[in-house]
Amino acid sequence: MAKLMVYQFECYDITSDQFIRSRRWATTAAIAMIPGARPLPGFGVEVEEDLVESDIEGMTEIGFNPTAEQGFQRAMKD
């Protein structure tokens, strides 16, 4: 399975007049498509490509946690 780098990012919120952190993670290409969005430096992580399949291309599901184990357990840990 291929791996992709995804980044936590923030977007400008016109309602609050400040930048807010997204609850999704995304590729740099997906972030570049959002006006006023910017990746957070030091918040990139490599994940399996299938975790970046959601309703928006290049983004994870809302609430994505890259430190949580994903998917079904396939092996016993030592």
Side-chain angles (χ1 to χ4, degrees):
M1 176 83 43
K3 300 235 181 201
L4 293 174
M5 284 296 290
V6 292
Y7 300 86
Q8 196 162 34
F9 64 99
E10 59 186 10
C11 300
Y12 179 73
D13 177 38
I14 194 169
T15 306
S16 63
D17 193 28
Q18 61 186 349
F19 279 89
I20 57 169
R21 189 175 290 195
S22 176
R23 296 184 305 160
R24 296 179 187 258
W25 290 59
T27 63
T28 53
I31 295 169
M33 299 295 291
I34 305 168
R38 59 187 182 199
L40 297 173
F43 284 89
V45 67
E46 190 175 63
V47 298
E48 297 290 337
E49 185 177 34
D50 64 339
L51 295 176
V52 189
E53 295 179 3
S54 70
D55 56 332
I56 301 174
E57 185 177 342
M59 293 191 183
T60 64
E61 295 289 336
I62 293 173
F64 176 73
N65 179 355
T67 60
E69 291 190 31
Q70 306 294 326
F72 295 106
Q73 181 176 350
R74 298 190 194 314
M76 297 292 292
K77 292 184 180 180
D78 292 331

